[in-house]
Structure formats: structure tokens, C-alpha cells
Amino acid sequence: MRDVELRVLDAIDDSEAVNLLAETVGVPSVTGTDAESELQHHFAGLLTEAGMDVDVWKLDLDDLRERDGFPGTEAPRTEGYGVVGVVGGDGVPALALQGHVDVVPVGDLARWEGNDPFAARISGDVLHGRGACDMKAGLVANLAVVRAVQRAGIRLTRPLAVHCVVSEEDGGLGAFGTLARGHTAEAAVITEPTSGQVITANAGALTFRLEIAGRAAHGAARLEGVNAIEVFWPVFEAIRRLEAGRNRDVPAVFGGNPLPYPIEIGTVHAGDWASTVPDLLVAEGRLGVRLDEDPAAARAAFEEAVRSAAHPWLRANPPAVTWPGGQFASGRLPAGHPLLSEVRRAVADTGGATLTEAAAPYGSDLRLYAGSGIPTLHYGPGDVRFAHAPREQVAVPEFLEVIRALAVLAVRRCAP
């Protein structure tokens, strides 16, 4: 490696990075809450202290909702902020490092050891807590890179950017607003957890809502009614058949995943009285979008499958399908783009194992960046299997390895 690359590695402060990660996990920045905004402002201050020119702005929610491609939201929201820091050179940043500050709700507190999901408990070489994996380790890694560049006194001849965004968990409003603001880059790395892989493609996910009508009657005279739960069952079976068909001939980049485009029902609500035949069932779920598939085509296929459900009642009372909430299209890094080999080389040159290229069965901000013409991939600390779970955690050695690789990548792209 060049002297400038060795200098940036020597400037990384491991203890400082771990302490900042614990501090960041301690902020309960659940999507749409005041703490989400608090953490955005905190990181704006940290980026400023790291010598970056920082743009902080309040998202115009009404304007963004009216724009083409609005990604949808699920969490109630009264405000949101964008934060972008840029340092070095002139023109379009040669590299953007992106991370989201928001985390999902914690669920049942009794399932968390110590009953405090935001305590950032360290056991051995593993840090536990909500957001540790998804994706505050990646968020802090981005800042640690900038701090190391500053401490090493490296002059960046091409700009380096750090994007901190909100609302990734429920659709990508923050990334959408950042791109609408005009922030761009020649290439971007989103430091989502990849666990020794590099993710170059995401399937999409569209939130749907089904309303199945029945006919109310006294439970003692149920033959006079039509049970919406019973009517829902053939709809569910039709959805499962659609899922099976959409998961044939899976692209090799999914690495043998038998279900990269899942369709799942997440919530079901029916009835309002124990002795009444329920006359309405409402179900919500997510529809997997195939790579390069137009989301409109995915919606049409789902709606047709629902209409095909075999039940006499449904022919006269077709289910209503709507599409609220997050709307994640698919996205991918262009084939042959050098960013993949650059990341792999940076990892190998800092002592990491060879990264396996893979695709993820979930949506992310990648598709928004890629859709804006920014070649983008995921590489970051953590195993996504721990995300959104009461056992959420990140291995500290992996976190530090990612900082080292990203620091070298940043120097190579921005101080060639």
C-alpha cells in the first residue's frame, strides 16, 4: 500500500470508534421519533468537527410526497432532516458513504437481556443493542473514516461525502430527500450489514393491504353470514401459488437462496365481537419485487392473483387491494462497474477475507441511489440475521475491519 494509505490506517482510533458506537446505540432513534431528528443533528455536529462542509436541512414532506418516485412511508412523521458532509477537492464527490440513523421499534422488552435495548451492552467482543447491526455500526464507521483522514493530514484532491439519512426502515424518505436536494456522487457505499459479503443488488418490497368483505350474522346463526376469515383462506392460497411461481429460475447472484422474492402476510385483523360472524378482514404484508422488475408489473401480478382466488363469494365481492407504506423497487450495481473490485481490493489489502458477491432479498436505499445514476453497493459490519431482533448485535472486530477497508477505499478514490 502507498504511504498515504498506511497513514490513514494508523490514524484510526479503535477505542474512540467503539465508544462512539455505544453512544450512538444509546440514542433511541426509532423511525419517525424526535430521537431520530436528535441523532441527525448530533451527527451533523460530529461531521462539522471532522472538518466537513455540512448541509443540514429540514425535509419538505409535502413537496417530497408529490414528487415522482416518492418511496412511501409507514411510520407517523411530522418532521425529518437531511445531513450531508463533504470534504476535499471540487466537483462531484468521488465517493459517498451512506448510512441511516433510524431503527425499528424494540418489541417486547422482556425479550431483551437486561430489558434495555438501548444500553449498548458489550459482552466479550460483541456489542448488543437495538441498531447495533442495522445500521449504527455502519453509520459510525463512515464518520470514523473521515476522522482518520483528517487526523492523518491527508489532502483529498477529489471530494468525499458522508450522507446521513432518516426513514430508511419505512421506505427511504431520507435518501429520496437527499437526492432531491441535489447531492450526488460518482459512486456510493451504503454501510448496511453484509457479514463478509458485498451486496451488489437488492430485490424490492412493496407493502400491500387487503380488505376481504364478509357478511355479519349472529354466531348462533352463522349459516346466515359469510365469515371473512374463511373467505380469506383461498386468497392466501392464491398468494402462496404466486410466490412459488415468482421464485422459479432465481438469478445466481442470490447464492442459492430458495426464496429471494418472498410474499408474506404480516398482520391480520378480523371481527369485533366473539359471537358475531366477522364481516371484514384486513391483512397487510409485503410483496417481493424481482430484480429489474417494474414495481407496477409486480403490483399487477399480485392483484391478478388475488382476483383468481376460487370462492363463489369473492366473484361478487372481490377483495380490495391498496398499496400503502414503503414501496421499495429493486436495484443493482451496473455489471462490471469497478466499485466492486475496488471494495474487494481494499478489504483484501487491509487483511480481510475475499468478499463474496451477493444479492439481498430485501429493499434498501441502494435502489434510490442506483436509480439516480449513482453506482452503489452495500458493504458494512454486522450480520443481517441479527437485525430487527431482540438479539441484535455486531462483532467489534468486524466493525473495526470495515473502518480500515473503507478508509483505504476513500483514500484511493479521493486522493489517487
Side-chain angles (χ1 to χ4, degrees):
M1 289 191 289
R2 297 178 299 153
D3 175 69
V4 69
E5 295 163 11
L6 296 173
R7 280 165 48 204
V8 76
L9 291 176
D10 288 341
I12 295 170
D13 187 328
D14 291 354
S15 295
E16 178 187 75
V18 174
N19 289 338
L20 179 57
L21 175 56
E23 174 189 320
T24 304
V25 169
V27 180
S29 52
V30 175
T31 304
T33 64
D34 291 345
E36 184 190 48
S37 295
E38 173 191 335
L39 192 54
Q40 277 290 74
H41 288 295
H42 181 58
F43 264 79
L46 294 174
L47 294 174
T48 300
E49 292 172 5
M52 306 192 90
D53 292 325
V54 179
D55 181 20
V56 183
W57 72 99
K58 189 172 185 178
L59 300 176
D60 187 333
L61 301 180
D62 291 336
D63 173 69
L64 293 173
R65 289 188 187 103
E66 296 301 317
R67 288 177 177 256
D68 289 341
F70 175 67
T73 58
E74 296 183 11
R77 176 177 297 280
T78 59
E79 67 175 21
Y81 289 88
V83 174
V84 170
V86 180
V87 65
D90 296 311
V92 175
L95 177 67
L97 301 175
Q98 194 257 36
H100 64 83
V101 301
D102 60 313
V103 300
V104 297
V106 299
D108 183 359
L109 290 176
R111 295 183 177 274
W112 290 86
E113 186 170 341
N115 302 129
D116 186 354
F118 299 105
R121 179 176 56 86
I122 296 179
S123 176
D125 61 359
V126 175
L127 189 149
H128 300 258
R130 171 58 84 228
C133 172
D134 187 13
M135 60 166 293
K136 289 183 176 179
L139 184 73
V140 172
N142 297 342
L143 174 62
V145 168
V146 178
R147 284 179 167 178
V149 169
Q150 179 201 49
R151 288 198 183 105
I154 297 170
R155 178 177 173 270
L156 301 180
T157 57
R158 307 172 72 208
L160 170 67
V162 172
H163 296 186
C164 301
V165 303
V166 300
S167 194
E168 188 276 344
E169 294 290 359
D170 69 332
L173 171 69
F176 186 70
T178 295
L179 297 165
R181 180 80 166 179
H183 290 291
T184 188
E186 292 180 5
V189 174
I190 299 177
T191 49
E192 292 273 12
T194 59
S195 188
Q197 297 181 314
V198 58
I199 302 297
T200 58
N202 282 116
L206 309 176
T207 300
F208 60 80
R209 176 185 171 96
L210 289 169
E211 294 187 17
I212 311 290
R215 185 171 63 214
H218 194 292
R222 72 174 186 84
L223 296 180
E224 299 300 316
V226 176
N227 190 315
I229 299 172
E230 183 178 341
V231 174
F232 169 66
W233 187 248
V235 175
F236 182 77
E237 291 180 319
I239 290 171
R240 280 287 181 257
R241 289 193 296 272
L242 174 67
E243 179 188 62
R246 289 172 61 80
N247 283 276
R248 297 191 184 101
D249 302 321
V250 172
V253 72
F254 282 104
N257 184 339
L259 199 67
Y261 310 124
I263 309 174
E264 186 59 297
I265 303 291
T267 66
V268 177
H269 302 280
D272 55 13
W273 194 253
S275 61
T276 299
V277 175
D279 62 355
L280 178 65
L281 179 145
V282 177
E284 294 180 324
R286 58 94 72 193
L287 165 67
V289 180
R290 294 179 292 192
L291 290 183
D292 305 320
E293 180 181 29
D294 185 336
R299 293 187 192 100
F302 181 83
E303 291 171 7
E304 175 58 30
V306 169
R307 285 194 297 268
S308 74
H311 193 286
W313 174 261
L314 292 173
R315 285 196 288 272
N317 301 272
V321 182
T322 53
W323 300 93
Q327 302 292 299
F328 292 84
S330 68
R332 67 164 88 204
L333 181 75
H337 193 277
L339 182 62
L340 173 58
S341 60
E342 290 170 3
V343 170
R344 279 175 158 166
R345 188 161 66 91
V347 171
D349 289 349
T350 53
T354 301
L355 294 178
T356 302
E357 181 183 3
Y362 48 82
S364 82
D365 284 342
L366 183 152
R367 95 284 190 188
L368 296 171
Y369 280 71
S372 294
I374 303 173
T376 304
L377 54 74
H378 288 188
Y379 167 66
D383 185 332
V384 73
R385 291 175 296 180
F386 292 124
H388 297 203
R391 66 188 187 282
E392 186 166 2
Q393 60 188 258
V394 67
V396 171
E398 183 183 359
F399 166 60
L400 299 175
E401 288 169 8
V402 168
I403 295 173
R404 291 171 60 83
L406 290 176
V408 168
L409 176 70
V411 168
R412 288 175 176 174
R413 287 197 67 90
C414 301

